[in-house]
Amino acid sequence: MEEARFKAMGSEVHAIVVGGPNGLARRARERIDELERRWSRFRPDSEISRLNANAGRGIEVSDDTVELISLAIEAWRLTGATFDPTVLGAVLRSGYTASFEKLPPNAAPTPSDLVVACTDIEIDGNTVRLPARSGFDPGGIGKGLAADLVAAELLSAGADGVCINMGGDLRCLGTPPDGAGWTVTIEHPWSSTLIASVGIADGAVATSTTLRRRWTVAGAERHHLIDPRTGEPADTDLNLVTVIAGTAWAAEVVAKAVLVRGSLHPFDLVEGTGAYALIVDDGGAITVSDGFDAFLRYGWIADGVERCA
């Protein structure tokens, strides 16, 4: 078994490779670094930055970027527009102007007239045109898709099993190290103990929370999950959502959309889709969608989360 731990896409990355030729863990790192160079909005020479700088004009991009943008449009449809990849203007206005590890606690918002315009993105072969006065933010879907792509590529390269963890967005394929299924733990920022452990054979787990990436603008606390309907950090009574799905990009966007929508009918988005969700509300109560219990490894470790003093 090979492992690699490194930082990429603003997250801690852990790649586990079971079997196959030597060097596949290194290959995972190189491939994720390549995707970050193409997709990071913080790199002025990335394909995403070029698209944003030339909004209104067609720009030729790689197959990877076409897939990212195509799936982002599909995610917009899947979530009823609760996820929208063109919220860059709102992100900048909220003060999220640098990679999070470089963001000061008291951030300054950037004036921006960028608008939400996912409906008008055009793709023609490898040419993509963002609508004028719009901006694309890969955000979490980029991390999820990176995990999906790399896991599949390593399996095709001869690995028996692969797990790619992109800062909490995991994609698992093939044979795990112990042969008994991949075990994924679910944690909550309020607690030093686990909420639960789930087991998957071929699939993905993603967690979205409002409690980790936070900063202050003019004395007001902000977080990174923008509600496209308001253009502001989501005003939600949920603080953590974990979703199990077939792919990491889908798990990521559904988790984010459920969190943004809040506790009123929280599982509408997952019913009938083959996805399953766990939510934690601001009172610490844990609720799961139908079918989630089937993935539990050891039964419930907690039925609620207490806020730290």
Side-chain angles (χ1 to χ4, degrees), residues 117-132:
C118 184
T119 52
D120 297 321
I121 297 174
E122 297 176 3
I123 301 175
D124 181 8
N126 282 77
T127 300
V128 176
R129 188 190 73 83
L130 299 182

Side-chain angles (χ1 to χ4, degrees), residues 19-65:
N22 292 332
L24 290 182
R26 183 182 69 251
R27 178 170 169 175
R29 177 169 188 164
E30 292 170 351
R31 180 69 166 117
I32 290 170
D33 286 344
E34 177 185 44
L35 293 172
E36 182 173 23
R37 288 193 298 272
R38 288 177 173 168
W39 295 347
S40 174
R41 71 177 173 94
F42 303 116
R43 293 173 178 252
D45 58 344
S46 74
E47 292 181 1
I48 293 301
S49 291
R50 288 197 295 111
L51 282 168
N52 287 336
N54 291 278
R57 295 194 294 164
I59 299 295
E60 188 168 348
V61 297
S62 64
D63 290 345
D64 290 331
T65 301

Side-chain angles (χ1 to χ4, degrees), residues 90-250:
V91 171
L92 297 174
R93 290 189 291 270
S94 74
Y96 197 172
T97 56
S99 185
F100 187 75
E101 67 273 11
K102 298 178 181 178
L103 195 67
N106 297 301
T110 295
S112 174
D113 63 356
L114 297 179
V115 298
V116 174
C118 184
T119 52
D120 297 321
I121 297 174
E122 297 176 3
I123 301 175
D124 181 8
N126 282 77
T127 300
V128 176
R129 188 190 73 83
L130 299 182
R133 294 182 57 238
S134 72
F136 189 95
D137 181 11
I141 192 174
K143 291 193 301 177
L145 180 56
D148 290 328
L149 291 175
V150 173
E153 289 167 9
L154 295 186
L155 210 67
S156 295
D160 296 322
V162 182
C163 181
I164 306 294
N165 181 349
M166 300 285 296
D169 293 350
L170 294 94
R171 181 70 163 100
C172 302
L173 288 169
T175 305
D178 61 5
W182 299 93
T183 299
V184 181
T185 58
I186 303 174
E187 301 174 337
H188 192 283
W190 287 351
S191 177
S192 60
T193 61
L194 304 178
I195 295 176
S197 294
V198 297
I200 57 174
D202 176 351
V205 180
T207 295
S208 188
T209 178
T210 60
L211 299 176
R212 286 203 172 100
R213 297 196 173 202
R214 302 185 74 93
W215 62 93
T216 300
V217 173
E221 201 167 30
R222 296 282 188 268
H223 61 77
H224 73 296
L225 295 176
I226 298 294
D227 186 340
R229 300 167 296 185
T230 66
E232 298 289 336
D235 181 12
T236 173
D237 60 351
L238 301 181
N239 58 56
L240 183 140
V241 176
T242 294
V243 168
I244 300 172
T247 58
W249 75 263

